[in-house]
Amino acid sequence: MKKLQQMTVALAATLALAAHADINVGVTVSATGPAASLGIPEKNTVALMPTTLGGQKVNYIVLDDASDTTTAVANTRKLITESKVDLIIGSTVTPNSLAMIDAVSESGTPMISMAASARIVEPLDAKKKWVFKTPQNDIMMALAIVTHMVDNGIKTAGFIGFADAYGEGWWGEFNKIAAAKKLNIVASERYNRTDTSVTGQVLKLVAAKPDAILIAGSGTPAALPQKALKERGYAGKIYQTHGVANNDFLRVGGKDVEGTLLPSGPVLVAAQLPADHPVKKSAQDYIAKYEAAHGKGSVSTFGGHAWDAGLLLAAAAPEALKKAQPGTPAFRAALRDALENVKNLAGAHGVFNMSAGDHLGLDQRARVMVQIENGTWKLIK
């Protein structure tokens, strides 16, 4: 009888400990390196995320992957094996996020990426069923760009993008939509994120005389081709992707990026949105929290992607807690299932409706067209 009582007490203690287990969230961001202008606001945003969910304490373990793919994978494995995290948020850029998929799928750990390429979540297979993301897909933004080009009489276009998964993803979508819209692409070039000169590529673009040029880069390295184009006297329209939607790009680009056209998440111009826009309130809520911590005008769309990852976690965690306790494979699986069932969640960038076939869950409400005017972002109505 005494032994039975001891076992009962031990079991009760174990259950009590499990009931109060913390939710551990691992985060890997590119806070240094070429993508630092994207990763820093994401890191800052993680500090604003809730510290309790469903009555459970939440710990965020944040590591810097320095914009490096190998480091991102090492961080992911360390967070899973040493910190025993229930969820991974990261990374900042597409190549890192793609490289992390094996690690999270092998361990059965859900992951929410803050990088843009649709390849991160498509096609949904046994590995990618563990992966979700918050940024808009390239195809959604490419469609906005090509539609704007065609509607404004542009007949020919040039392209220059990163020589990595981000640039190639954009090339694929831009090329496909341009063909459907009968927009003729007359030149296509690539460059590396760490390049300091793109003179050769720009000379070829200018020689092709396109009506407009799309630069498919992200962060401050995306300013390099635009500056070179301006130096060579290119007078056509210049488009960028949503990968430049932060103030560091404006700072580095200066007068050379005036007039740039790009698609963006609504958070970039939240104050200019009509009152009935479904994202206006949620976007302004994020802006208010971020600016309270970092000053007026400090918000970027990239921090918004991290914020939306936090909102998805906040929506899913209480549901997962009904089925299992943190720190267990069952909880990680329940969290994955709950993320897949998030509905009508208004975030900083759009309204999320996840499903078994869609691990992004955004629609056309998640993008607007903007123009850089007098060093600021202006909504194109």
Side-chain angles (χ1 to χ4, degrees):
M1 179 64 74
K2 187 176 180 180
K3 187 175 182 180
L4 179 60
Q5 287 175 332
Q6 288 174 336
M7 289 174 62
T8 303
V9 170
L11 179 59
T14 302
L15 290 172
L17 183 63
H20 292 89
D22 294 349
I23 298 172
N24 290 316
V25 179
V27 184
T28 179
V29 294
S30 303
T32 57
S37 66
L38 288 61
I40 290 171
E42 292 172 351
K43 182 180 178 181
N44 291 343
T45 299
V46 173
L48 305 176
M49 291 180 184
T51 54
T52 60
L53 291 172
Q56 304 290 93
K57 183 184 176 186
V58 185
N59 303 311
Y60 300 93
I61 303 105
V62 183
L63 302 178
D64 176 19
D65 58 40
S67 310
D68 177 72
T69 298
T70 303
T71 306
V73 174
N75 284 354
T76 304
R77 295 196 181 279
K78 181 178 180 180
L79 290 165
I80 291 168
T81 58
E82 296 181 18
S83 301
K84 310 294 183 185
V85 297
D86 299 297
L87 175 85
I88 295 281
I89 295 177
S91 176
T92 301
V93 295
T94 291
N96 290 8
S97 296
L98 287 170
M100 291 159 57
I101 292 173
D102 280 347
V104 298
S105 62
E106 287 166 9
S107 62
T109 305
M111 163 181 154
I112 305 175
S113 172
M114 300 175 290
S117 176
R119 299 179 188 184
I120 296 165
V121 292
E122 296 176 3
L124 267 172
D125 54 23
K127 289 184 177 181
K128 292 179 182 177
K129 80 170 191 175
W130 291 96
V131 184
F132 302 80
K133 77 183 189 79
T134 53
Q136 301 86 342
N137 276 344
D138 301 340
I139 189 167
M140 182 187 300
M141 298 311 214
L143 180 60
I145 288 173
V146 174
T147 300
H148 189 273
M149 286 181 174
V150 172
D151 288 350
N152 285 273
I154 291 169
K155 305 293 186 185
T156 59
F159 176 93
I160 179 168
F162 284 159
D164 63 21
Y166 185 84
E168 290 310 312
W170 261 94
W171 167 247
E173 301 299 353
F174 181 63
N175 189 40
K176 181 168 57 181
I177 298 168
K181 295 275 190 180
K182 295 183 170 44
L183 174 70
N184 185 23
I185 300 176
V186 294
S188 176
E189 298 292 328
R190 302 292 183 276
Y191 73 109
N192 296 312
R193 293 174 188 253
T194 54
D195 284 350
T196 56
S197 172
V198 289
T199 301
Q201 297 96 315
V202 164
L203 287 173
K204 292 177 185 176
L205 286 168
V206 172
K209 298 181 180 179
D211 298 331
I213 293 172
L214 170 61
I215 301 171
S218 63
T220 52
L224 180 65
Q226 191 152 352
K227 283 181 164 292
L229 284 165
K230 291 293 185 181
E231 286 171 5
R232 295 291 167 177
Y234 179 72
K237 299 281 187 185
I238 297 179
Y239 289 75
Q240 291 269 3
T241 74
H242 54 313
V244 304
N246 69 2
N247 290 336
D248 272 353
F249 176 77
L250 297 178
R251 174 182 57 79
V252 171
K255 61 179 176 57
D256 291 329
V257 299
E258 276 291 305
T260 303
L261 297 149
L262 65 144
S264 166
V267 69
L268 189 67
V269 287
Q272 301 173 48
L273 296 173
D276 61 350
H277 194 287
V279 178
K280 186 179 180 80
K281 182 182 183 302
S282 50
Q284 289 186 312
D285 285 348
Y286 167 62
I287 291 169
K289 288 182 175 68
Y290 193 94
E291 291 188 343
H294 298 284
K296 188 167 179 60
S298 57
V299 166
S300 83
T301 63
F302 301 100
H305 296 315
W307 183 252
D308 287 347
L311 291 179
L312 287 169
L313 171 62
E319 294 303 311
L321 286 166
K322 295 175 183 177
K323 298 179 179 178
Q325 292 302 323
T328 65
F331 181 74
R332 296 195 295 272
L335 195 55
R336 191 218 74 87
D337 292 347
L339 285 167
E340 196 170 77
N341 286 295
V342 170
K343 303 296 180 192
N344 297 316
L345 175 68
H349 279 278
V351 180
F352 291 89
N353 283 286
M354 298 287 187
S355 71
D358 185 356
H359 280 196
L360 169 63
L362 293 175
D363 56 27
Q364 293 301 317
R365 295 174 292 180
R367 58 93 170 159
V368 294
M369 284 296 295
V370 302
Q371 185 166 24
I372 298 174
E373 193 173 286
N374 298 319
T376 60
W377 312 102
K378 183 172 181 182
L379 177 67
I380 299 174
K381 297 178 180 177

PDB file of all heavy atoms in Angstrom, residues 6-25:
ATOM      1  N   GLN A   6       3.272   5.950  -2.812  1.00  0.00           N
ATOM      2  CA  GLN A   6       4.445   6.659  -3.315  1.00  0.00           C
ATOM      3  C   GLN A   6       4.371   6.833  -4.830  1.00  0.00           C
ATOM      4  O   GLN A   6       4.706   7.890  -5.371  1.00  0.00           O
ATOM      5  CB  GLN A   6       5.709   5.879  -2.932  1.00  0.00           C
ATOM      6  CG  GLN A   6       6.037   5.945  -1.445  1.00  0.00           C
ATOM      7  CD  GLN A   6       7.208   5.055  -1.084  1.00  0.00           C
ATOM      8  OE1 GLN A   6       7.503   4.082  -1.793  1.00  0.00           O
ATOM      9  NE2 GLN A   6       7.879   5.378   0.010  1.00  0.00           N
ATOM     10  N   MET A   7       3.932   5.770  -5.490  1.00  0.00           N
ATOM     11  CA  MET A   7       3.801   5.839  -6.959  1.00  0.00           C
ATOM     12  C   MET A   7       2.748   6.866  -7.357  1.00  0.00           C
ATOM     13  O   MET A   7       2.903   7.609  -8.317  1.00  0.00           O
ATOM     14  CB  MET A   7       3.432   4.466  -7.515  1.00  0.00           C
ATOM     15  CG  MET A   7       4.564   3.454  -7.433  1.00  0.00           C
ATOM     16  SD  MET A   7       4.037   1.795  -7.946  1.00  0.00           S
ATOM     17  CE  MET A   7       3.578   2.088  -9.646  1.00  0.00           C
ATOM     18  N   THR A   8       1.660   6.899  -6.600  1.00  0.00           N
ATOM     19  CA  THR A   8       0.583   7.847  -6.884  1.00  0.00           C
ATOM     20  C   THR A   8       1.068   9.283  -6.712  1.00  0.00           C
ATOM     21  O   THR A   8       0.778  10.160  -7.538  1.00  0.00           O
ATOM     22  CB  THR A   8      -0.622   7.600  -5.956  1.00  0.00           C
ATOM     23  OG1 THR A   8      -1.047   6.255  -6.122  1.00  0.00           O
ATOM     24  CG2 THR A   8      -1.760   8.549  -6.279  1.00  0.00           C
ATOM     25  N   VAL A   9       1.813   9.527  -5.621  1.00  0.00           N
ATOM     26  CA  VAL A   9       2.362  10.864  -5.365  1.00  0.00           C
ATOM     27  C   VAL A   9       3.330  11.260  -6.476  1.00  0.00           C
ATOM     28  O   VAL A   9       3.300  12.387  -6.991  1.00  0.00           O
ATOM     29  CB  VAL A   9       3.064  10.912  -3.989  1.00  0.00           C
ATOM     30  CG1 VAL A   9       3.839  12.223  -3.838  1.00  0.00           C
ATOM     31  CG2 VAL A   9       2.049  10.776  -2.874  1.00  0.00           C
ATOM     32  N   ALA A  10       4.175  10.310  -6.888  1.00  0.00           N
ATOM     33  CA  ALA A  10       5.149  10.586  -7.947  1.00  0.00           C
ATOM     34  C   ALA A  10       4.460  10.900  -9.264  1.00  0.00           C
ATOM     35  O   ALA A  10       4.847  11.815  -9.996  1.00  0.00           O
ATOM     36  CB  ALA A  10       6.082   9.384  -8.120  1.00  0.00           C
ATOM     37  N   LEU A  11       3.399  10.138  -9.570  1.00  0.00           N
ATOM     38  CA  LEU A  11       2.636  10.362 -10.798  1.00  0.00           C
ATOM     39  C   LEU A  11       1.963  11.721 -10.761  1.00  0.00           C
ATOM     40  O   LEU A  11       1.958  12.468 -11.745  1.00  0.00           O
ATOM     41  CB  LEU A  11       1.594   9.254 -10.985  1.00  0.00           C
ATOM     42  CG  LEU A  11       0.697   9.370 -12.224  1.00  0.00           C
ATOM     43  CD1 LEU A  11       1.532   9.370 -13.501  1.00  0.00           C
ATOM     44  CD2 LEU A  11      -0.314   8.237 -12.255  1.00  0.00           C
ATOM     45  N   ALA A  12       1.383  12.065  -9.605  1.00  0.00           N
ATOM     46  CA  ALA A  12       0.725  13.369  -9.450  1.00  0.00           C
ATOM     47  C   ALA A  12       1.718  14.505  -9.644  1.00  0.00           C
ATOM     48  O   ALA A  12       1.413  15.526 -10.287  1.00  0.00           O
ATOM     49  CB  ALA A  12       0.066  13.463  -8.071  1.00  0.00           C
ATOM     50  N   ALA A  13       2.933  14.326  -9.096  1.00  0.00           N
ATOM     51  CA  ALA A  13       3.968  15.350  -9.239  1.00  0.00           C
ATOM     52  C   ALA A  13       4.376  15.509 -10.702  1.00  0.00           C
ATOM     53  O   ALA A  13       4.566  16.618 -11.203  1.00  0.00           O
ATOM     54  CB  ALA A  13       5.183  14.989  -8.391  1.00  0.00           C
ATOM     55  N   THR A  14       4.483  14.368 -11.389  1.00  0.00           N
ATOM     56  CA  THR A  14       4.847  14.401 -12.810  1.00  0.00           C
ATOM     57  C   THR A  14       3.780  15.112 -13.637  1.00  0.00           C
ATOM     58  O   THR A  14       4.076  15.938 -14.503  1.00  0.00           O
ATOM     59  CB  THR A  14       5.038  12.969 -13.347  1.00  0.00           C
ATOM     60  OG1 THR A  14       6.041  12.327 -12.570  1.00  0.00           O
ATOM     61  CG2 THR A  14       5.445  12.980 -14.809  1.00  0.00           C
ATOM     62  N   LEU A  15       2.530  14.797 -13.368  1.00  0.00           N
ATOM     63  CA  LEU A  15       1.426  15.434 -14.094  1.00  0.00           C
ATOM     64  C   LEU A  15       1.364  16.921 -13.804  1.00  0.00           C
ATOM     65  O   LEU A  15       1.099  17.739 -14.690  1.00  0.00           O
ATOM     66  CB  LEU A  15       0.095  14.764 -13.717  1.00  0.00           C
ATOM     67  CG  LEU A  15      -0.093  13.333 -14.233  1.00  0.00           C
ATOM     68  CD1 LEU A  15      -1.364  12.723 -13.636  1.00  0.00           C
ATOM     69  CD2 LEU A  15      -0.148  13.311 -15.751  1.00  0.00           C
ATOM     70  N   ALA A  16       1.611  17.288 -12.546  1.00  0.00           N
ATOM     71  CA  ALA A  16       1.594  18.710 -12.184  1.00  0.00           C
ATOM     72  C   ALA A  16       2.699  19.455 -12.908  1.00  0.00           C
ATOM     73  O   ALA A  16       2.505  20.575 -13.396  1.00  0.00           O
ATOM     74  CB  ALA A  16       1.762  18.853 -10.667  1.00  0.00           C
ATOM     75  N   LEU A  17       3.877  18.809 -12.999  1.00  0.00           N
ATOM     76  CA  LEU A  17       4.990  19.423 -13.708  1.00  0.00           C
ATOM     77  C   LEU A  17       4.657  19.598 -15.181  1.00  0.00           C
ATOM     78  O   LEU A  17       4.882  20.649 -15.780  1.00  0.00           O
ATOM     79  CB  LEU A  17       6.240  18.555 -13.544  1.00  0.00           C
ATOM     80  CG  LEU A  17       7.535  19.086 -14.182  1.00  0.00           C
ATOM     81  CD1 LEU A  17       7.938  20.400 -13.513  1.00  0.00           C
ATOM     82  CD2 LEU A  17       8.655  18.060 -14.051  1.00  0.00           C
ATOM     83  N   ALA A  18       4.062  18.560 -15.778  1.00  0.00           N
ATOM     84  CA  ALA A  18       3.700  18.620 -17.203  1.00  0.00           C
ATOM     85  C   ALA A  18       2.660  19.691 -17.456  1.00  0.00           C
ATOM     86  O   ALA A  18       2.693  20.399 -18.451  1.00  0.00           O
ATOM     87  CB  ALA A  18       3.182  17.263 -17.668  1.00  0.00           C
ATOM     88  N   ALA A  19       1.715  19.815 -16.508  1.00  0.00           N
ATOM     89  CA  ALA A  19       0.634  20.797 -16.680  1.00  0.00           C
ATOM     90  C   ALA A  19       1.161  22.221 -16.682  1.00  0.00           C
ATOM     91  O   ALA A  19       0.526  23.129 -17.202  1.00  0.00           O
ATOM     92  CB  ALA A  19      -0.392  20.619 -15.577  1.00  0.00           C
ATOM     93  N   HIS A  20       2.348  22.398 -16.041  1.00  0.00           N
ATOM     94  CA  HIS A  20       2.919  23.737 -15.976  1.00  0.00           C
ATOM     95  C   HIS A  20       4.154  23.879 -16.856  1.00  0.00           C
ATOM     96  O   HIS A  20       4.954  24.791 -16.680  1.00  0.00           O
ATOM     97  CB  HIS A  20       3.259  24.084 -14.523  1.00  0.00           C
ATOM     98  CG  HIS A  20       2.051  24.251 -13.653  1.00  0.00           C
ATOM     99  ND1 HIS A  20       1.470  23.204 -12.966  1.00  0.00           N
ATOM    100  CD2 HIS A  20       1.274  25.334 -13.400  1.00  0.00           C
ATOM    101  CE1 HIS A  20       0.410  23.636 -12.300  1.00  0.00           C
ATOM    102  NE2 HIS A  20       0.264  24.925 -12.544  1.00  0.00           N
ATOM    103  N   ALA A  21       4.330  22.955 -17.818  1.00  0.00           N
ATOM    104  CA  ALA A  21       5.472  23.026 -18.727  1.00  0.00           C
ATOM    105  C   ALA A  21       5.368  24.274 -19.600  1.00  0.00           C
ATOM    106  O   ALA A  21       4.285  24.639 -20.053  1.00  0.00           O
ATOM    107  CB  ALA A  21       5.525  21.772 -19.595  1.00  0.00           C
ATOM    108  N   ASP A  22       6.499  24.915 -19.810  1.00  0.00           N
ATOM    109  CA  ASP A  22       6.517  26.108 -20.647  1.00  0.00           C
ATOM    110  C   ASP A  22       6.425  25.724 -22.124  1.00  0.00           C
ATOM    111  O   ASP A  22       6.870  24.644 -22.531  1.00  0.00           O
ATOM    112  CB  ASP A  22       7.817  26.879 -20.439  1.00  0.00           C
ATOM    113  CG  ASP A  22       7.954  27.456 -19.036  1.00  0.00           C
ATOM    114  OD1 ASP A  22       6.952  27.435 -18.288  1.00  0.00           O
ATOM    115  OD2 ASP A  22       9.060  27.929 -18.702  1.00  0.00           O
ATOM    116  N   ILE A  23       5.869  26.645 -22.909  1.00  0.00           N
ATOM    117  CA  ILE A  23       5.934  26.518 -24.366  1.00  0.00           C
ATOM    118  C   ILE A  23       7.246  27.164 -24.800  1.00  0.00           C
ATOM    119  O   ILE A  23       7.497  28.339 -24.507  1.00  0.00           O
ATOM    120  CB  ILE A  23       4.746  27.227 -25.038  1.00  0.00           C
ATOM    121  CG1 ILE A  23       3.419  26.599 -24.620  1.00  0.00           C
ATOM    122  CG2 ILE A  23       4.907  27.197 -26.563  1.00  0.00           C
ATOM    123  CD1 ILE A  23       2.199  27.370 -25.084  1.00  0.00           C
ATOM    124  N   ASN A  24       8.099  26.402 -25.460  1.00  0.00           N
ATOM    125  CA  ASN A  24       9.391  26.921 -25.923  1.00  0.00           C
ATOM    126  C   ASN A  24       9.367  27.142 -27.427  1.00  0.00           C
ATOM    127  O   ASN A  24       9.048  26.230 -28.187  1.00  0.00           O
ATOM    128  CB  ASN A  24      10.516  25.955 -25.543  1.00  0.00           C
ATOM    129  CG  ASN A  24      10.776  25.945 -24.047  1.00  0.00           C
ATOM    130  OD1 ASN A  24      10.832  26.991 -23.416  1.00  0.00           O
ATOM    131  ND2 ASN A  24      10.928  24.760 -23.474  1.00  0.00           N
ATOM    132  N   VAL A  25       9.687  28.358 -27.821  1.00  0.00           N
ATOM    133  CA  VAL A  25       9.677  28.743 -29.231  1.00  0.00           C
ATOM    134  C   VAL A  25      11.089  29.096 -29.658  1.00  0.00           C
ATOM    135  O   VAL A  25      11.724  29.991 -29.080  1.00  0.00           O
ATOM    136  CB  VAL A  25       8.743  29.945 -29.468  1.00  0.00           C
ATOM    137  CG1 VAL A  25       8.757  30.365 -30.941  1.00  0.00           C
ATOM    138  CG2 VAL A  25       7.322  29.614 -29.022  1.00  0.00           C
TER     139      VAL A  25
END
